[in-house]
Amino acid sequence: MPQRGPVDLNEAVEEFGRHLRAERGVSPHTLRAYLGDLTDLSAYAADVGVTDPADLDVSLLRAWLARQHALGRARATLARRTAAVRAFTHHLHRRGLLQDDPGLLLGTPKKRRDLPGVLNQDDAARLLDTMDTEGPMGLRDLAVLEVLYGTGVRVSELCGLDIDDVDTGRRTIRVLGKGDRERTVPVGEPALRAVQDWLRAGRPAVATEISGPALFLGARGGRLHPTSARRIVHSRISEAGQMPDLSPHGLRHTAATHLLEGGADLRSVQEILGHASLQTTQLYTHVSAERLKRVHRQAHPRAARDDQAP
């Protein structure tokens, strides 16, 4: 049996962070979220006199989660914090720092999946066809929105693109997604044209010695950061006016919705979006219900039709 090391909870959290970084390959966003959750747990435990990992029990964990609920944390936040605790206690148990795993006894708050709004096809066309593309940043912003909408990639995937990831001949981009999974995504002519215009007349005016191979650059020449990409999307949608204010994820959702409305099958959309599970892709199908009803009315012999007599 592994020997218990002389660590307190804070040290155990730091060690768990190193484990996540080195062995689990979690995303930087998930790592920050989990460590923030567990740091909060450690502070709560210290307030009630618990500093040794061996003293963690299900009563303390439930009390901490109940406090989060009382503070008004969102259901999604509670679900994530429960997942963080379960991963942490499982790790401590495997290392021999906990005799039993109290995380196994925690219930999971049901997470409501609130999908973002979407642009209809006319709004998407108006947003992209009327955007002010003056100057290098204008060319960049159009290319950013065209690629987000045209491919459905995540904002982190967009910012991670290098110039060589774009294959204009095959009309595809190579994307490094979650869990370092690589996929090839088709890209349409408008997005390719916007990228080529940015590479020809925009990027050279911004690039510096720190730019490296990055496809999209910030104003100072470094690789475009996801926060800046989000700001670009919000700003450009606001300029267009009279349409929902969306984030980059909203454009991803819009892309998936329009693919399904156009007749794409779920498996193909799953591959394009890089979802590990088809269940995740199925969340997007609710917006296509009207299309399915129209198909049913037109195709099924027993469906009610407007031109039928009552």
Side-chain angles (χ1 to χ4, degrees):
M1 180 176 180
Q3 291 188 346
R4 194 176 108 192
V7 296
D8 62 19
L9 265 177
N10 288 328
E11 291 173 342
V13 169
E14 291 176 6
E15 191 273 334
F16 180 58
R18 291 191 292 271
H19 164 74
L20 290 178
R21 208 176 288 115
E23 299 180 33
R24 294 275 296 275
V26 301
S27 71
H29 174 77
T30 299
L31 180 63
R32 283 194 303 272
Y34 273 29
L35 292 182
D37 295 340
L38 296 173
T39 298
D40 190 276
L41 170 64
S42 295
Y44 175 83
D47 286 344
V48 297
V50 174
T51 59
D52 191 324
D55 294 330
L56 285 178
D57 59 26
V58 70
S59 297
L60 186 148
L61 299 179
R62 284 173 175 164
W64 175 67
L65 289 170
R67 183 171 181 270
Q68 305 302 306
H69 184 271
L71 290 171
R73 306 296 185 215
R75 198 178 324 192
T77 301
L78 292 173
R80 190 202 65 223
R81 293 198 164 186
T82 303
V85 168
R86 281 178 163 171
F88 182 51
T89 58
H90 175 71
H91 175 71
L92 294 178
H93 178 59
R94 287 190 61 187
R95 281 206 54 208
L97 298 173
L98 270 175
Q99 184 173 357
D100 299 305
D101 183 358
L104 295 174
L105 302 176
L106 294 176
T108 303
K110 191 159 184 182
K111 184 177 173 183
R112 187 174 61 237
R113 302 301 294 268
D114 293 326
L115 291 172
V118 298
L119 301 179
N120 61 43
Q121 294 186 28
D122 288 340
D123 280 345
R126 179 164 65 86
L127 170 66
L128 297 169
D129 292 343
T130 63
M131 187 181 299
D132 179 6
T133 59
E134 184 177 352
M137 294 298 94
L139 293 173
R140 180 203 63 184
D141 291 359
L142 177 61
V144 164
L145 267 70
E146 283 279 13
V147 171
L148 285 171
Y149 170 61
T151 65
V153 295
R154 302 175 178 92
V155 66
S156 58
E157 295 170 344
L158 173 105
C159 293
L161 290 173
D162 290 337
I163 295 173
D164 289 345
D165 290 329
V166 182
D167 188 331
T168 55
R170 296 184 177 181
R171 301 207 302 183
T172 60
I173 58 173
R174 183 174 60 242
V175 177
L176 190 63
K178 287 186 175 180
D180 291 335
R181 290 190 296 269
E182 187 178 291
R183 70 185 189 279
T184 299
V185 180
V187 56
E189 186 60 36
L192 278 177
R193 188 165 55 245
V195 168
Q196 288 169 338
D197 288 345
W198 154 247
L199 289 175
R200 174 182 53 81
R203 191 182 186 279
V206 182
T208 68
E209 65 277 2
I210 67 171
S211 300
L215 175 60
F216 292 115
L217 306 178
R220 297 182 180 179
R223 183 181 292 274
L224 184 66
H225 191 275
T227 300
S228 298
R230 293 186 185 97
R231 189 160 49 243
I232 290 167
V233 172
H234 286 298
S235 173
R236 291 301 189 165
I237 289 178
S238 176
E239 289 174 6
Q242 297 183 327
M243 61 181 68
D245 178 28
L246 300 186
S247 66
H249 187 64
L251 287 181
R252 174 174 163 86
H253 182 36
T254 298
T257 300
H258 293 174
L259 282 168
L260 290 168
E261 287 178 347
D265 63 274
L266 273 176
R267 286 289 182 189
S268 297
V269 176
Q270 178 190 7
E271 290 184 28
I272 290 171
L273 297 180
H275 287 154
S277 167
L278 187 64
Q279 184 177 9
T280 306
T281 314
Q282 287 173 331
L283 294 170
Y284 292 91
T285 60
H286 76 289
V287 295
S288 299
E290 288 304 316
R291 181 184 66 84
L292 294 176
K293 283 192 276 188
R294 287 197 302 271
V295 170
H296 183 265
R297 282 197 301 269
Q298 294 166 5
H300 198 285
R302 302 290 285 182
R305 291 193 179 92
D306 294 338
D307 58 354
Q308 285 180 330

